[in-house]
Amino acid sequence: RQCRHICPLSALSPRFSREAWPKVHIFFTHYLEPAADSAQPLRQAILQDYPSDAFVVTILDDGYYQRTGDGHEITRTGRQMEMMVAETLALLCPCGLRGVVKSRHEVCPGAHKGYRFEVAPSGSTIIEFQAEGLPLVRLVGRKKGSDSFMKTGNLENALWNIIEKDVVFMVALDADIIPMPDMLQMLLPPMLEYRDGAWRPDWRTAFVGSPQDFRNIQDAWGSDDPMNQANKFF
């Protein structure tokens, strides 16, 4: 019997061709944290051992806009996040910033069937960053109403209003989580089954979690670790 929980996609048996690996969205939830804190997590997400055209990295920046009366204006942190994404990609691109193409478009309220108005009553701005050989990176600014529904609203906007219909799997990370290069390869196998001659989604599995390592326990709590955040518990 295959132990899928410790088997990366590249080692599945029967073989799962890399060209057939499913499309995945990696979502980072962000709200007013310093832009510099997201640079390393973004870089590591971009460098996943996964086909670059089969995954998208999206920062759901809930601090990109602030409400001003009946409108929304871009915050200082929002502009810093835009710059951070471009500069992070530039460091990975042979042509530097010249090789990073940035574009933006609006997702209007009611843009498609199933749109969740309550989480983004004024729509969202999607800023896309593309560089040759690297996955698409997006920065999403949600135009919230009087009730933002906080992190839940941010994720609901991503799932119902932003994500493409052909995306089968998504990964949700906090803004300061630095993924390992094999994250996608290790998380996906438990959500697959070999059926009718091919690897397909196993809908009996709703979600998969992963271990976490904390690098700041000693600095934050000392040796006593009163909040029980020691690595052994995760």
Side-chain angles (χ1 to χ4, degrees), residues 134-146:
L134 298 177
L136 174 65
V137 177
R138 290 172 165 175
L139 183 67
V140 176
R142 178 168 68 114
K143 298 177 182 177
K144 298 170 282 189
S146 56

Side-chain angles (χ1 to χ4, degrees), residues 63-199:
Y64 185 81
Y65 283 116
Q66 67 177 12
R67 295 180 71 230
T68 55
D70 294 332
H72 297 79
E73 67 178 25
I74 302 174
T75 63
R76 179 182 179 186
T77 302
R79 297 191 186 281
Q80 291 172 343
M81 288 296 289
E82 275 193 65
M83 186 177 299
M84 180 278 296
V85 173
E87 291 177 345
T88 299
L89 280 167
L91 291 173
L92 300 172
C93 179
C95 297
L97 277 175
R98 291 185 292 108
V100 179
V101 178
K102 184 170 74 169
S103 62
R104 68 174 65 213
H105 65 273
E106 299 294 321
V107 175
C108 300
H112 52 77
K113 185 179 180 181
Y115 186 93
R116 292 283 178 96
F117 286 91
E118 64 274 18
V119 297
S122 298
S124 299
T125 298
I126 299 180
I127 305 159
E128 296 188 340
F129 302 81
Q130 293 183 304
E132 186 176 356
L134 298 177
L136 174 65
V137 177
R138 290 172 165 175
L139 183 67
V140 176
R142 178 168 68 114
K143 298 177 182 177
K144 298 170 282 189
S146 56
D147 192 341
S148 72
F149 300 99
M150 297 180 285
K151 188 174 182 177
T152 300
N154 197 6
L155 284 169
E156 280 206 24
N157 186 50
L159 291 172
W160 292 95
N161 302 340
I162 301 299
I163 197 170
E164 289 87 353
K165 299 300 182 184
D166 64 337
V167 178
V168 181
F169 299 106
M170 56 84 69
V171 178
L173 303 174
D174 285 338
D176 60 349
I177 291 180
I178 302 174
M180 301 295 289
D182 62 352
M183 177 187 71
L184 293 181
Q185 282 212 50
M186 298 303 290
L187 287 178
L188 285 172
M191 304 193 77
L192 300 171
E193 65 174 344
Y194 193 75
R195 185 176 72 249
D196 300 328
W199 287 100

